[in-house]
Amino acid sequence: EDAPQPQPRLDDLLIQVRAAAVNPVDWKIREGYLQGFLNHRLPLILGWDVAGTVVEVGPEVSGFKVGDEVYTRPDIERDGGYAEFIAVKASEAALKPATLDSVHAAAVPLAALTAWQSLVDAAQLQAGQTVLIHAAAGGVGSLAVQLAKARGARVIATASAVNIGLVADLGVDQFVDYTRTRFEQAVKEVDVVFDTIGGDTQERSWQVLKPGGILVSVISPPPEATAAAHGVRSAFVFIQPSGQQLAQIAQLIDQGRMKPIIHAVLPLSDARQAQVISQGGHARGKIVLRVRD
């Protein structure tokens, strides 16, 4: 449908969207699951993973110019990127990795920031530590594996057998096929658990941590009492936009230390089908909508 072109604020960039990635947060907002976190007005344009070209720069913005190729995970309380144009705060954007086209760049921001804010900020993952990453073949998990390896950590990954080749290529040190092996029987004494699944997986993860270790979840807040009972720590991460972190991630990508995995590329008109695939929970990497060539 036709919608008004966004009007950029003083500190905004107006971006002509080339590609927008699809994430679980999109259909969760659509279904109303995040009403406790957000106060959206309707109608709302979904999609908060964007790559495109700057076509207008707010008068209070420095560091960007018209024509810059950028990528961003913008504020999810504003209209998203399933559209030809999006207005975002300049502080939420960064120059896209030079080695990626727009489709691949759009697959990075939300997943990479989720991994960064979980492993670097919350867990403070260090070289030589061991991290267990659940759902390692997914959009977040696959980038988390690469970020952990870039920081010098030992990585244990859970995924199904069909994805063993994919996660092996990412450099995991130990693979657990969760369809055949209960990970808590194969994994012990890890420094960090990165929980991207929640529920029973989160419950079973406490026992694989070493004393003083940390469980970081992006699905549901881990109970502090449970963490204390196991002698470990816990953290819940709800991703925040950060152009500064995206700039650091772009450097890692251009150095060849991280790369996005693409499950499917669909036209914007197939956004409904893209969300169906996302909601199925078995995408290998990211689903991307091509908006403009």
Side-chain angles (χ1 to χ4, degrees), residues 243-290:
Q244 182 181 24
Q245 291 177 353
L246 285 176
Q248 293 176 276
I249 290 163
Q251 288 183 338
L252 289 173
I253 291 170
D254 287 340
Q255 292 167 1
R257 304 176 78 183
M258 292 177 67
K259 63 181 180 181
I261 306 299
I262 303 292
H263 177 86
V265 180
L266 302 172
L268 178 60
S269 57
D270 285 348
R272 177 188 177 94
Q273 178 60 25
Q275 287 200 13
V276 169
I277 297 170
S278 175
Q279 201 162 354
H282 294 291
R284 291 165 51 115
K286 296 294 293 287
I287 305 158
V288 180
L289 299 173
R290 189 189 303 274

Side-chain angles (χ1 to χ4, degrees), residues 5 11 82 105 119 123 130 141-142 146 150 162 191 257 273 287-288 293:
Q5 182 166 306
D11 57 350
Y82 293 8
L119 297 181
T130 298
S142 59
Q146 297 173 76
V162 69
D191 298 282
R257 304 176 78 183
Q273 178 60 25
I287 305 158
V288 180
D293 291 328

Side-chain angles (χ1 to χ4, degrees), residues 18-19 51 69 96-108 260 262 290:
R18 293 188 176 276
E69 298 292 324
K96 79 170 180 63
T99 53
L100 297 184
D101 59 24
S102 294
V103 166
H104 286 80
V108 173
I262 303 292
R290 189 189 303 274

Side-chain angles (χ1 to χ4, degrees), residues 3-4 12 38 45 48 55 108 120 127-128 143 168 198 202 209 214 217 223 270:
D12 276 354
L38 305 168
I45 298 173
W48 296 278
V55 294
V108 173
V120 179
L143 285 171
Q202 184 182 111
L209 284 161
I214 185 169
S217 179
D270 285 348

Side-chain angles (χ1 to χ4, degrees), residues 114-243:
T114 301
W116 187 285
Q117 291 172 19
S118 298
L119 297 181
V120 179
D121 294 345
Q124 298 184 354
L125 183 66
Q126 304 295 318
Q129 290 188 320
T130 298
V131 56
L132 170 63
I133 297 175
H134 289 300
V140 172
S142 59
L143 285 171
V145 167
Q146 297 173 76
L147 178 60
K149 293 300 296 182
R151 292 184 67 80
R154 178 175 181 269
V155 178
I156 305 172
T158 67
S160 61
V162 69
N163 290 317
I164 187 170
L166 185 153
V167 296
D169 288 343
L170 298 180
V172 301
D173 299 283
Q174 181 181 343
F175 173 80
V176 179
D177 176 1
Y178 72 86
T179 67
R180 297 187 177 185
T181 304
R182 292 181 68 84
F183 66 84
E184 68 271 28
Q185 297 175 349
V187 179
K188 300 294 181 187
E189 297 289 304
V190 303
D191 298 282
V192 179
V193 171
F194 184 31
D195 168 34
T196 62
I197 301 175
D200 179 64
T201 297
Q202 184 182 111
E203 281 294 317
R204 291 158 49 206
S205 291
W206 297 109
Q207 57 193 288
V208 308
L209 284 161
K210 65 171 55 173
I214 185 169
L215 186 153
V216 181
S217 179
V218 294
I219 302 298
S220 59
E224 292 183 9
T226 305
H230 285 85
V232 299
R233 297 166 293 137
S234 66
F236 174 65
V237 172
F238 192 82
I239 177 182
Q240 300 300 316
S242 174

Side-chain angles (χ1 to χ4, degrees), residues 20-65:
V22 176
N23 294 284
V25 71
D26 299 358
W27 62 259
K28 289 178 180 178
I29 288 174
R30 185 199 74 212
E31 294 285 343
Y33 289 124
L34 297 182
Q35 289 183 47
F37 285 100
L38 305 168
N39 295 300
H40 281 125
R41 43 132 191 94
L42 298 175
L44 176 72
I45 298 173
L46 299 171
W48 296 278
D49 237 351
V50 172
T53 306
V54 175
V55 294
E56 187 175 335
V57 178
E60 295 182 359
V61 172
S62 60
F64 292 97
K65 65 183 185 302

